[in-house]
DNA sequence: TTTTAAAAAGAAACAGTGTTTCAATAAGAA
DNA sequence: TTCTTATTGAAACACTGTTTCTTTTTAAAA
């Protein structure tokens, strides 16, 4: 019985369908709409996320969504940020390794897994699934946060002198872009076979690590 | 005065706006529609290519386009194939170099230039600009043809033993995907600055060549 | 507590999309 | 010339993102 705080007994994730919450709980409705949109997206793909469909799932008029998000782009941005959180969480689940190379291999694997387990999010974030949405400053920053773990480990490797390149962001961008390229060509249907794509991916991870790390060991 | 062949004196690129050509010159109309779509796309971007707009430019009902292409996807495919031809031409304009490494550098530069000079085509071919279009067998083959020049030079390098990896397709895919990743992140707004993107690109080209070629020279 | 002004609801409409229908029309073969 | 087949071209359908507008509700002021 933890209904202690200011809000009356309303659980955002169970009770609050739209009409009961209304404007006094605008923030809760907002979160529920994002949740509804995410659910539709994950089940039917990003193209299935239409304002009307989200409104229907929320049993509310489309106007409510426009009041809270301004436009579809506004809702898309929230899904983008949600995806960034999920990616960050995926990286954080990778246990830190003493062997930096091994650690990077596993972070690379985590990135691949994310793209396969959350394909819709990946396409929204990096595949342009919502063509109306282009990442602005806040969204770009969220990607930076998600990649923080990778940036940190690369920076550490540079400080330890096992990576000769001085700019960690440059290294991260080179690695990120290369791996993204394979994932994106696969998701776009240019690489037909998943095993082929994964083999390319693993090979690319190895090549990249080999490129940036000193030759010995 | 070269109106010698079977067709009466009709120049596809000047005279034949839609109503005059009609079905007796269905193939000419077809080509004109592709041309009109391409013109709209290059001037206003892929999202501006709508059936109605193309039909308006051709002064014909939308039905004609559906009769000739079946769907918007059918028209998108033609633009895709058109782009493949342009990419192939871009590669062919690169003079063959005796130094294979140098040649690859210049082919890499040609790929970058193509993405910048024909951004709309690039987005249709590799960026999923027409979400309804996914490349099928014929389209994938057209990409292969466009990349033929690269495949050939890689194969030659393998035969000469200056690339140790045995599978030329693997090498081409790794290079292609990596470079595509950078271009795509740039076009998608994830890399804000063009100079940054180009620097990343050049560095990636160098890294890739260094990875696959024997260490000496 | 009553009045008043602002804000949100909720349906309906607008402008656009890809696509299909269907009468009127034209084309090529019999 | 007649007949059958295919094309025309406008209109409609089902969908999209978005906006308008009247009714209702809400929160603050008197």
């Amino acid at each position: 019985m933890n209904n202690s705080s200011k809000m009356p007994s309303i659980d955002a994730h169970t009770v609050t369908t739209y009409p009961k919450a209304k404007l006094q709980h605008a923030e809760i409705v907002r979160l529920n709409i994002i949740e509804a949109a995410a659910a539709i997206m994950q089940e039917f793909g990003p193209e299935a996320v239409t304002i009307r469909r989200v409104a229907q799932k929320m049993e509310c008029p489309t106007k409510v969504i426009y009041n809270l998000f301004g436009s579809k782009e506004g809702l898309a941005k929230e899904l983008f940020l949600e995806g960034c959180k999920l990616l960050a969480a995926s990286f954080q689940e990778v246990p830190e390794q003493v062997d930096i190379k091994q650690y990077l291999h596993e972070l690379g694997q985590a990135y691949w897994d994310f793209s396969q387990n959350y394909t819709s999010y990946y396409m929204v974030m990096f595949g342009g699934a919502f063509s109306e949405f282009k990442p602005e400053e806040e969204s770009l920053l969220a990607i930076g946060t998600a990649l923080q773990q990778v940036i940190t480990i690369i920076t550490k490797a540079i400080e330890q002198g096992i990576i000769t390149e001085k700019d960690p962001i440059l290294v991260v961008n080179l690695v990120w872009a290369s791996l993204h390229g394979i994932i994106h060509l696969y998701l776009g249907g240019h690489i037909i076979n998943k095993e082929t794509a994964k083999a390319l991916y693993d090979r690319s991870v190895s090549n990249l690590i080999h490129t940036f790390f000193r030759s010995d060991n």
Side-chain angles (χ1 to χ4, degrees), chain A:
Chain A
M1 321 177 166
N2 45 11
N3 290 328
S4 52
S5 65
K6 294 152 195 171
M7 288 288 183
S9 57
I10 287 180
D11 183 347
H13 288 254
T14 56
V15 179
T16 316
T17 54
Y18 161 74
K20 284 136 195 168
K22 304 209 169 164
L23 80 162
Q24 64 264 46
H25 303 112
E27 193 54 34
I28 295 174
V29 176
R30 207 185 128 85
L31 291 174
N32 276 35
I33 289 173
I34 296 169
E35 203 175 299
I40 292 168
M41 184 181 77
Q42 297 203 75
E43 188 165 9
F44 304 103
E47 70 282 358
V49 179
T50 68
I51 300 287
R52 277 180 179 78
R53 189 158 180 179
V54 175
Q56 184 186 321
K57 194 177 174 79
M58 288 293 294
E59 298 178 62
C60 77
T62 61
K63 190 75 198 336
V64 174
I65 296 175
Y66 282 97
N67 285 341
L68 290 170
F69 298 93
S71 65
K72 191 185 178 183
E73 192 181 348
L75 182 53
K77 181 183 166 181
E78 297 303 323
L79 292 172
F80 181 99
L81 295 175
E82 201 71 26
C84 287
K85 287 184 201 163
L86 286 168
L87 178 56
S90 296
F91 281 140
Q92 272 152 18
E93 276 176 21
V94 178
E96 198 165 345
Q97 232 42 49
V98 280
D99 183 352
I100 293 185
K101 280 179 167 182
Q102 182 59 30
Y103 190 25
L104 276 172
H105 262 105
E106 292 185 14
L107 287 171
Q109 178 65 43
Y111 190 68
W112 170 268
D113 289 344
F114 175 79
S115 76
Q116 300 308 300
N117 296 331
Y118 299 94
T119 304
S120 291
Y121 277 109
Y122 192 92
M123 285 305 287
V124 169
M125 295 163 72
F126 309 123
F130 292 153
S131 53
E132 63 273 8
F133 172 71
K134 277 234 175 186
E136 81 310 338
E137 203 170 336
E138 184 187 351
S139 302
L140 293 176
L141 218 128
I143 295 178
T145 305
L147 294 179
Q148 192 51 252
Q149 203 140 340
V150 184
I151 297 172
T152 303
I153 191 67
I154 296 283
T155 305
K156 194 181 286 184
I158 291 173
E159 287 169 354
Q160 294 183 5
I162 48 184
I163 286 182
T164 50
E165 171 60 49
K166 297 292 175 213
D167 183 2
I169 301 297
L170 177 78
V171 177
V172 170
N173 279 340
L174 282 169
V175 173
W176 175 34
S178 297
L179 300 185
H180 165 69
I182 296 167
I183 291 170
H184 186 251
L185 286 183
Y186 169 59
L187 295 180
H190 295 89
I191 301 168
I192 10 77
N193 193 282
K194 183 163 183 171
E195 287 70 40
T196 306
K198 187 51 164 54
L200 274 172
Y201 189 90
D202 289 340
R203 178 65 184 270
S204 205
V205 170
S206 297
N207 283 351
L208 288 162
I209 290 176
H210 182 262
T211 296
F212 289 109
F213 281 74
R214 292 207 104 90
S215 54
D216 54 308
N217 185 17

